[in-house]
Amino acid sequence: MIVNGGDILHSQLSGVISSTRVRLCTDLPHVWAEKNITIKSGGRPGPLSYDNSPYSREIIDCLAEDHPARVIAMMKGQQIGASSTVLLPGMAYLVANRPGNMVFSVGAPDLIKAASRKVDHAFADAGIKFQSPIQKLKNNATGDTTKLKEGIGWWLRIMTLDNHNNIADFSAQFGFLDDLDRNATITSDFGDTSDMIMGRFSAYEGIYKIMKVSTPKFKASSQIEPAFLLGDQRKYFIPCPCCGQGIEILWSHEGGGGIHWDPDNHGGFKPGSVGYVCPKCAKFFNDSKKMAWLNDGVWIPQATAKIEGHYSYKISSLYAPTFMFGWKKYVTDWFQIHPHNQPRDEPKYQTFQNVVQGETYDSPKESPDSKAIQKNIRPYQPWLLPEKLSISDGNGMIICLTMAVDMGGKMSSDKDSNGIDDVRIDWEVVAWTETGASYSVAHGSFGTFERGESEEKRKDRIKWTYAVNKVNCVWPEVDKLMDRVFYTDTGRSMKIVKAGLDCGHWSYEYAYPYVDKTPRMVAIRGKGADGFVNEDADSPFVKPANEKKGMFILNVNAIKDALAGFMKLPWNGSSDE
């Protein structure tokens, strides 16, 4: 007799109540997978064993034909082994036992080839054959099996969900949707991705299975968190090695308990002090016997599913098996996020929230504080490059100059311009040093537009324009700055090597023509303030745009967060640190 689907009562978990749906079964998906799947790489290569990741047993067993689950959501940290113990064996199990049309989505187009190879290995282990490229060519079909694999009574399509046209182009019985939070969520043309996906399985009402798996990202756009909340919200409880009561392993518990370490006298932690304090008995244990209590664990529903057939699971990287990263690694990461006597490193904290705790991140989108930057005033003159000061500060020589240029105002083509051009350019020249530190050299504005100024005050003034064929065009003034020679206080001369023009909404008519004829000028546009952006901790602040060669997109919110963090760094004027 095998107890199925999380509805079990483990004798070592006192105080936990569960329902009892028991069935006679010897062919559960996890049993089949252990007989047929081999792990090719990672920390524990060899025949698949769910003793290494016992929390995965119940999740893959949801794919059994008589299991009531229709949608299975897994919101997780990294290092949990979801691909090798749930997704790939799950696909192979279905093709071998219940062949049908299937889709496998990955987080980005460049992941499709790697995903295809993993599918090939899993299917080969199970003796699953699909039509070879040669056979397909004989049938006048494409020979590429990277994105589409076919066999008798089934096909498997590997794709991404970032293009909503892809979603509208299939009908399937089984869906394995990996890394959901890397995909777009809403577009004005199509609507919500999750709603579109569900529509593609409507032809298989009552017999479909959809597995949604993802490390969460941003709360505002997450797809995996809403999927988890629609289900019965299962958490994995283990018996405390000290008191035997069921506890969830969290970074910290309200009221006390969680990951623990003893601080040292140098802003770090003492060797051998990392472990866990039970929130029930307040006793300490470490992760040296993690595999034993992982195998004694059980999934416990925390809610009633809002939609029948929705099973949902949530687990952090703190549960990762012992051949993955241990708790000491995550405590080390925590100290890098929270350096001694310094503000929190927000991008690293976001990564920790997502990949370790398995939680969504709600960005503060922190704006720089003008008062904070005034505290960083240094003794040098405008227009003079402070190389002596830079060397004294430990930043080395000044190596280049850049300029930022911002377009403002209104053109006669704008709806609210009253048919009148009235514009302004704001600019700043910055000196960059060998260490990456920067010194503001000069800044200013030219033009006539003033935000909030009444039309009465504007009417008698000669106004400036972006149109090149008119008097008072601003671009010749920008050219003068681009051609200006700047001098260091050590006697060297330099010119601006590159300038960025924030194009606003005048890109095609006014900004691009100027950028195209100005070799050292590039077009830039901010993204983030007017729409959601996936601000990965490792994603660049600047990336090339698809719209135009030489155009770059700035990750505005991430830049603001980083700048605000830098400006919080404590600095004593008597010290260069």
Side-chain angles (χ1 to χ4, degrees):
M1 181 178 294
I2 296 179
V3 187
N4 183 61
D7 300 324
I8 61 178
L9 176 62
H10 197 287
S11 61
Q12 290 181 281
L13 287 175
S14 61
V16 175
I17 301 175
S18 67
S19 60
T20 54
R21 190 177 70 85
V22 181
R23 67 187 176 100
L24 292 173
C25 181
T26 57
D27 61 347
L28 285 172
H30 89 266
V31 177
W32 180 92
E34 288 186 322
K35 295 177 181 177
N36 292 278
I37 300 297
T38 300
I39 303 296
K40 295 293 193 297
S41 61
R44 194 62 63 90
L48 174 59
S49 172
Y50 285 92
D51 288 342
N52 293 327
S53 54
Y55 42 76
S56 297
R57 285 193 188 99
E58 179 180 320
I59 301 174
I60 191 173
D61 285 349
C62 290
L63 297 175
E65 184 173 7
D66 63 343
H67 195 289
R70 289 289 163 258
V71 176
I72 307 105
M74 184 182 184
M75 181 174 172
K76 65 179 189 65
Q78 290 184 353
Q79 303 286 327
I80 290 299
S83 293
S84 58
T85 65
V86 177
L87 293 174
L88 294 168
M91 284 181 261
Y93 167 81
L94 288 174
V95 171
N97 295 276
R98 300 175 59 200
N101 297 342
M102 188 181 308
V103 293
F104 176 25
S105 70
V106 294
D110 58 355
L111 300 177
I112 289 178
K113 286 187 177 180
S116 180
R117 288 194 296 269
K118 292 177 181 178
V119 169
D120 290 346
H121 289 315
F123 281 20
D125 286 347
I128 298 170
K129 296 181 179 180
F130 50 89
Q131 197 172 21
S132 71
I134 294 177
Q135 290 173 315
K136 291 172 71 66
L137 287 171
K138 285 182 179 178
N139 295 329
N140 296 320
T142 175
D144 183 9
T145 60
T146 301
K147 297 182 179 180
L148 181 64
K149 305 177 190 299
E150 298 176 85
I152 299 175
W154 65 274
W155 54 252
L156 169 63
R157 180 175 175 182
I158 305 176
M159 57 186 287
T160 62
L161 302 179
D162 55 346
N163 184 341
H164 282 188
N165 288 311
N166 289 343
I167 304 175
D169 191 32
F170 70 83
S171 179
Q173 181 179 357
F174 305 117
F176 292 83
L177 313 180
D178 191 19
D179 215 359
L180 272 179
D181 276 15
R182 288 189 64 174
N183 288 291
T185 54
I186 297 175
T187 69
S188 57
D189 296 330
F190 294 102
D192 187 82
T193 300
S194 297
D195 292 341
M196 290 189 65
I197 292 170
M198 292 304 299
R200 309 322 303 161
F201 296 87
S202 58
Y204 297 90
E205 178 67 28
I207 59 172
Y208 69 85
K209 299 275 188 179
I210 303 175
M211 187 164 280
K212 300 180 177 183
V213 178
S214 187
T215 297
K217 293 182 73 64
F218 290 85
K219 182 173 286 290
S221 68
S222 178
Q223 295 196 59
I224 194 62
E225 186 173 60
F228 170 75
L229 295 176
L230 279 174
D232 52 6
Q233 302 175 35
R234 296 175 179 231
K235 306 288 186 67
Y236 200 70
F237 285 76
I238 63 103
C240 169
C242 304
C243 67
Q245 297 188 75
I247 59 172
E248 182 188 5
I249 299 297
L250 299 173
W251 187 256
S252 62
H253 291 264
E254 290 186 16
I259 296 293
H260 172 86
W261 62 87
D262 292 330
D264 61 19
N265 296 324
H266 310 289
F269 59 93
K270 294 179 180 179
S273 69
V274 174
Y276 204 84
V277 172
C278 173
K280 301 288 181 68
C281 68
K283 292 183 179 180
F284 174 89
F285 61 93
N286 59 34
D287 57 357
S288 61
K289 297 181 180 180
K290 180 189 282 188
M291 299 313 300
W293 48 255
L294 276 180
N295 276 280
D296 286 334
V298 61
W299 287 103
I300 305 296
Q302 305 298 300
T304 300
K306 295 179 175 62
I307 300 178
E308 184 179 1
H310 277 53
Y311 282 60
S312 60
Y313 301 84
K314 185 176 181 181
I315 191 166
S316 76
S317 296
L318 300 177
Y319 287 91
T322 52
F323 50 85
M324 300 292 193
F325 288 138
W327 293 342
K328 180 180 176 181
K329 164 66 166 59
Y330 299 130
V331 172
T332 301
D333 292 346
W334 188 257
F335 274 82
Q336 293 178 352
I337 296 166
H338 300 83
H340 185 58
N341 290 331
Q342 299 289 358
R344 183 172 77 187
D345 186 318
E346 202 62 29
K348 288 183 179 179
Y349 177 71
Q350 174 206 321
T351 301
F352 192 88
Q353 278 280 98
N354 296 158
V355 308
V356 178
Q357 299 196 67
E359 300 283 357
T360 54
Y361 173 77
D362 195 6
S363 173
K365 293 181 176 59
E366 185 170 13
S367 296
D369 182 357
S370 61
K371 294 181 179 179
I373 202 167
Q374 291 174 21
K375 298 177 182 178
N376 288 343
I377 291 174
R378 303 289 274 135
Y380 63 95
Q381 297 298 315
W383 297 97
L384 184 65
L385 309 184
E387 189 161 68
K388 290 181 180 178
L389 179 63
S390 177
I391 294 172
S392 173
D393 284 347
N395 293 320
M397 297 176 65
I398 291 174
I399 57 174
C400 69
L401 298 181
T402 62
M403 181 168 68
V405 183
D406 185 35
M407 298 174 69
K410 299 178 180 180
M411 292 293 289
S412 56
S413 56
D414 296 337
K415 292 181 180 179
D416 59 346
S417 67
N418 295 321
I420 298 173
D421 296 352
D422 187 10
V423 304
R424 185 181 78 193
I425 289 287
D426 297 298
W427 56 269
E428 181 187 23
V429 177
V430 174
W432 296 90
T433 69
E434 293 178 88
T435 65
S438 63
Y439 294 83
S440 180
V441 175
H443 63 88
S445 304
F446 42 81
T448 48
F449 175 78
E450 291 188 28
R451 189 176 300 278
E453 186 180 43
S454 68
E455 205 60 44
E456 182 67 24
K457 289 185 177 181
R458 295 183 189 181
K459 66 179 183 179
D460 295 328
R461 191 179 59 217
I462 298 175
K463 300 173 181 63
W464 289 53
T465 180
Y466 294 128
V468 296
N469 59 346
K470 293 185 179 180
V471 179
N472 292 326
C473 175
V474 296
W475 300 125
E477 298 301 318
V478 179
D479 289 337
K480 291 178 184 178
L481 285 170
M482 292 291 291
D483 292 336
R484 179 170 180 137
V485 177
F486 293 80
Y487 293 92
T488 69
D489 55 9
T490 58
R492 296 192 301 123
S493 62
M494 304 179 75
K495 294 180 73 172
I496 294 167
V497 297
K498 191 68 72 174
L501 177 65
D502 190 351
C503 296
H505 63 277
W506 302 281
S507 300
Y508 289 96
E509 189 172 2
Y510 301 111
Y512 290 170
Y514 176 72
V515 169
D516 289 342
K517 76 177 187 65
T518 309
R520 288 176 288 143
M521 181 75 72
V522 297
I524 60 176
R525 179 177 293 163
K527 180 78 176 191
D530 59 347
F532 179 78
V533 178
N534 270 357
E535 300 158 2
D536 289 325
D538 295 328
S539 66
F541 284 171
V542 183
K543 65 179 181 180
N546 297 323
E547 175 183 324
K548 174 180 172 57
K549 184 178 180 180
M551 173 86 174
F552 296 87
I553 303 297
L554 305 188
N555 190 336
V556 173
N557 292 334
I559 292 173
K560 285 183 177 180
D561 283 348
L563 181 59
F566 287 144
M567 288 162 55
K568 285 182 178 179
L569 296 174
W571 175 59
N572 187 328
S574 62
S575 169
D576 292 332
E577 294 183 0

